[in-house]
């Protein structure tokens, strides 16, 4: 009888009691099961699908979301709009993503997957230069990448972005640099690319909003302000730029000239 009472008491014990709690997982041990709430999107997607159902996949979700953002802007990407685009029930995508944050990660990973560099690049400078030029092409094609908020962009540790960072770091390996300096070099080039392309995208966005078709339209609109400022005589070097510059409407030239200056500085500073 005592054993039955004990068994009954155990049956009534709350499932969340300390006796039922699993041993805490070691975050440094990949073999330990993670808390489901902390499992990343990429770990979930690497797991085998529970069963073949509808044709909806993470790749299709990403592709549809990218199409929406390219056409109507990042704010147009909602779970409801996504479901409509995919022709599925509003809740169907939640089998793969937990919300818009995961969708943004999938989108970022999908477009950065296009950042493929040739295998025959011979040195760190060729890798960094090709990477920067290719990144500019991708961002200009998908300007919503710049519009994603900074915290979201920093949080988006995606396989494609990690592969991109790995290619940059590995190109510097073996040159006698410590790993901190290697990461600083990769970050410096990335910061230049982000700043330069953000300014370029901002100008294109302004022109689109105002209905201006060319840089000449922009100059005409800003003409009265510019004429007054130049008439003060306080900006003689800038005035010279306005009169003599031949690459004002050549953003590709400006980008490459700035990029080469950054790379020259890195090479001289680190003797690589």
């Amino acid at each position: 009888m005592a054993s039955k009472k004990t068994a009954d008491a155990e049956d009534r014990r709350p499932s969340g009691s300390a006796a039922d709690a699993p041993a805490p997982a070691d975050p440094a041990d990949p073999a330990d099961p993670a808390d489901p709430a902390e499992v990343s999107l990429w770990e979930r997607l690497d797991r085998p699908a529970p069963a073949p159902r509808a044709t909806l996949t993470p790749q299709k979700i990403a592709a549809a979301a990218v199409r929406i953002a390219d056409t109507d802007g990042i704010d147009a990407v909602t779970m409801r709009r996504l479901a409509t685009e995919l022709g599925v029930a509003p809740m169907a995508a939640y089998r793969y993503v937990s919300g818009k944050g995961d969708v943004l990660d999938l989108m970022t990973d999908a477009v950065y997957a296009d950042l493929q560099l040739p295998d025959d690049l011979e040195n760190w400078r060729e890798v960094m230069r090709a990477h920067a030029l290719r990144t500019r092409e991708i961002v200009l094609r998908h300007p919503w990448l710049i519009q994603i908020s900074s915290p979201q962009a920093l949080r988006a540790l995606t396989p494609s972005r990690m592969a991109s960072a790995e290619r940059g770091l590995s190109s510097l390996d073996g040159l006698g640099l410590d790993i901190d300096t290697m990461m600083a070099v990769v970050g410096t080039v990335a910061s230049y690319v982000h700043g330069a392309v953000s300014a370029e995208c901002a100008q294109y966005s302004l022109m689109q909003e105002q209905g201006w078709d060319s840089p000449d339209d922009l100059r005409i609109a800003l003409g009265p302000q510019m004429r007054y400022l130049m008439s003060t005589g306080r900006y003689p070097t800038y005035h010279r730029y306005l009169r003599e510059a031949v690459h004002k409407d050549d953003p590709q030239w400006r980008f490459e000239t700035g990029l080469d200056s950054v790379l020259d500085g890195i090479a001289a500073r680190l003797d690589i």
Side-chain angles (χ1 to χ4, degrees):
M1 180 66 74
S3 61
K4 183 171 189 316
K5 288 183 179 180
T6 301
D8 290 343
E10 288 177 350
D11 289 341
R12 293 193 297 272
R13 187 178 59 203
S15 59
S17 65
D20 289 329
D26 181 357
D29 184 358
D32 283 331
D35 182 341
E38 297 178 357
V39 174
S40 75
L41 168 67
W42 313 111
E43 185 175 346
R44 297 201 309 271
L45 295 183
D46 276 344
R47 294 174 178 174
R53 289 189 185 176
T55 57
L56 190 62
T57 65
Q59 293 74 25
K60 289 185 178 181
I61 293 172
V66 168
R67 286 195 301 272
I68 294 170
D70 287 347
T71 303
D72 299 323
I74 194 66
D75 291 339
V77 179
T78 64
M79 299 305 289
R80 184 173 296 278
R81 172 73 183 276
L82 197 54
T84 301
E85 183 81 10
L86 291 164
V88 299
M91 298 300 292
Y94 285 100
R95 181 173 179 237
Y96 299 96
V97 298
S98 60
K100 186 172 179 178
D102 280 355
V103 173
L104 293 175
D105 287 355
L106 285 176
M107 294 167 65
T108 301
D109 190 65
V111 297
Y112 273 99
D114 290 337
L115 212 165
Q116 300 293 330
L117 302 182
D119 294 328
D120 60 352
L121 299 176
E122 295 183 355
N123 55 56
W124 72 271
R125 184 176 183 128
E126 289 185 1
V127 170
M128 294 288 182
R129 196 175 196 282
H131 187 282
L133 293 172
R134 183 66 180 139
T135 300
R136 176 177 177 267
E137 292 175 5
I138 289 174
V139 175
L140 290 179
R141 191 162 64 246
H142 307 288
W144 49 265
L145 284 166
I146 296 296
Q147 298 166 359
I148 295 177
S149 62
S150 295
Q152 175 66 33
L154 290 172
R155 191 180 69 82
L157 298 176
T158 81
S160 293
R161 291 187 71 177
M162 292 301 294
S164 172
E166 177 66 21
R167 183 70 189 276
L169 286 169
S170 64
S171 73
L172 295 162
D173 206 8
L175 299 180
L177 305 178
D178 61 74
I179 194 65
D180 290 313
T181 302
M182 290 162 59
M183 183 61 79
V185 170
V186 172
T188 296
V189 177
S191 294
Y192 167 75
V193 174
H194 184 272
V197 180
S198 293
E200 196 172 345
C201 286
Q203 179 173 322
Y204 291 145
S205 178
L206 174 63
M207 291 174 61
Q208 186 176 29
E209 290 173 3
Q210 299 297 325
W212 299 332
D213 297 324
S214 71
D216 283 336
D217 293 335
L218 175 61
R219 281 189 284 270
I220 291 171
L222 298 178
Q225 299 175 57
M226 186 63 74
R227 281 192 295 273
Y228 168 73
L229 291 170
M230 293 303 104
S231 71
T232 65
R234 300 170 189 160
Y235 317 102
T237 311
Y238 199 100
H239 196 188
R240 179 188 166 202
Y241 165 75
L242 295 177
R243 288 183 284 112
E244 299 178 15
V246 296
H247 294 291
K248 285 184 284 191
D249 297 332
D250 189 351
Q252 180 80 24
W253 180 89
R254 286 200 306 272
F255 181 83
E256 293 193 37
T257 300
L259 174 62
D260 288 337
S261 298
V262 171
L263 296 175
D264 286 345
I266 291 171
R269 173 69 175 81
L270 300 177
D271 194 23
I272 57 176

